Amino acid sequence: MRYKAIVMYDGTMFHGFQTQDNLRTVQQEIEDVLKIITKTETKIHAAGRTDTGVHALGQVFHFDTIVEMKEWQMKNAINSRLPRDVYIKSIEIVDESFHSRYNAKSKTYRYVIDLNEFNPLNKNYCYYYKYKLDVNKMIEASKIFIGEHDFKSFTKNHTIENTIRTIYDIKFNIENNVINIEFYGNGFLHNMIRIIVAMLIEVGNDRLSKEDLQNIMDMKNRKLAPKLAPANGLYLVSVEY
């Protein structure tokens, strides 16, 4: 039986989603709980990875087990054993042809920049930026990323061969000096959003122009985009199928 799950988590105390030896990860926490419930090793397959410190509101994974439980029972069984920084939002039984990664059509990420006075209670959930930003310039510059492009300049992964991705839309929402930037696309490269955000900030403080970003993208050279926005401002919002 195959179960599809949507999970949210606070990434602060995790070394990313994917299992790593001797490090705390979201995947390992969930698989440890499933081992208790199913009495066997049960591997989960996620729609994608998130890095250390990155949060999720709607990460998706699936797993197979011979244990048959009603959806709400499986949800409650997992949640009752998970630590408080991970929570299963929903569980549904799906056809065995479903794959959380390979069937995904698009993903939505959000990056949060807070221009207000520093608040230590919120430091793990946004990027506190202490200088003024011209948000209108950032919005205008972000338009060059919309559409299908080669994002080789905007990824930390130097070994991947196909760096072409499509960003369907980038939306800015500014309220109470907090900038929320939402990226909606068919897929994203390692660190791609954090690099793009960092370079948009360079535009917002007049260190770079929209034309500079276009040139950086055209040159396909990561060394031209060396900045990386902090992980704690990034959220995986949802995965669409």
Side-chain angles (χ1 to χ4, degrees):
M1 181 170 288
R2 180 161 294 185
Y3 293 87
K4 171 192 173 187
I6 300 178
V7 59
M8 64 189 307
Y9 49 86
D10 177 346
T12 305
M13 302 302 294
F14 288 106
H15 291 269
F17 184 90
Q18 189 177 34
T19 297
Q20 301 180 59
D21 291 341
N22 303 316
L23 293 174
R24 185 175 186 245
T25 66
V26 179
Q27 180 178 357
Q28 192 62 59
E29 292 284 4
I30 296 171
E31 288 181 351
D32 287 347
V33 168
L34 287 175
K35 185 176 181 179
I36 296 171
I37 296 171
T38 66
K39 304 294 192 296
T40 186
E41 299 283 348
T42 302
K43 184 176 178 61
I44 67 173
H45 304 270
R49 309 172 185 177
T50 53
D51 292 332
T52 299
V54 175
H55 313 291
L57 303 175
Q59 170 70 288
V60 178
F61 67 87
H62 77 265
F63 62 93
D64 295 327
T65 177
I66 60 172
V67 175
E68 296 187 12
M69 297 174 65
K70 292 182 179 179
E71 294 162 334
W72 66 269
Q73 289 176 319
M74 181 63 79
K75 174 186 173 181
N76 290 345
I78 299 174
N79 278 331
S80 65
R81 294 170 174 84
L82 281 174
R84 297 299 294 273
D85 47 3
V86 187
Y87 182 76
I88 303 297
K89 295 171 66 175
S90 69
I91 290 271
E92 63 176 301
I93 297 169
V94 293
D95 186 84
E96 291 191 1
S97 63
F98 172 83
H99 196 287
S100 58
R101 178 183 175 188
Y102 299 129
N103 291 150
K105 301 298 184 185
S106 60
K107 295 177 183 177
T108 301
Y109 281 87
R110 178 182 303 144
Y111 198 90
V112 182
I113 304 170
D114 198 324
L115 304 177
N116 292 295
E117 186 174 3
F118 180 76
N119 179 349
L121 300 181
N122 201 36
K123 65 182 176 63
N124 294 323
Y125 309 104
C126 65
Y127 175 25
Y128 274 106
Y129 192 77
K130 59 182 179 180
Y131 304 105
K132 291 184 179 180
L133 289 174
D134 189 327
V135 180
N136 289 328
K137 287 185 177 179
M138 294 172 66
I139 294 172
E140 185 61 29
S142 72
K143 294 176 182 177
I144 72 167
F145 298 113
I146 298 175
E148 183 180 89
H149 303 285
D150 190 333
F151 288 95
K152 189 172 183 177
S153 293
F154 301 93
T155 179
K156 192 176 179 180
N157 189 334
H158 302 295
T159 61
I160 188 171
E161 293 184 4
N162 180 15
T163 50
I164 296 175
R165 297 292 185 274
T166 301
I167 295 181
Y168 302 124
D169 201 5
I170 301 175
K171 293 182 179 179
F172 283 70
N173 180 53
I174 303 97
E175 189 172 352
N176 298 323
N177 274 339
V178 177
I179 306 169
N180 287 277
I181 311 173
E182 290 215 346
F183 295 81
Y184 172 47
N186 67 352
F188 298 91
L189 301 165
H190 186 212
N191 285 160
M192 176 175 157
I193 293 175
R194 291 169 60 194
I195 295 170
I196 289 176
V197 168
M199 302 310 286
L200 287 174
I201 288 174
E202 293 292 280
V203 173
N205 58 33
D206 287 325
R207 292 196 182 104
L208 291 175
S209 66
K210 177 181 178 180
E211 291 70 30
D212 290 330
L213 288 193
Q214 183 66 63
N215 289 334
I216 290 170
M217 184 155 63
D218 292 342
M219 292 295 288
K220 301 179 179 60
N221 186 344
R222 168 72 173 100
K223 293 180 180 178
L224 300 176
K227 302 284 186 176
L228 184 66
N232 53 293
L234 184 60
Y235 297 76
L236 171 55
V237 176
S238 61
V239 183
E240 293 80 35
Y241 292 91

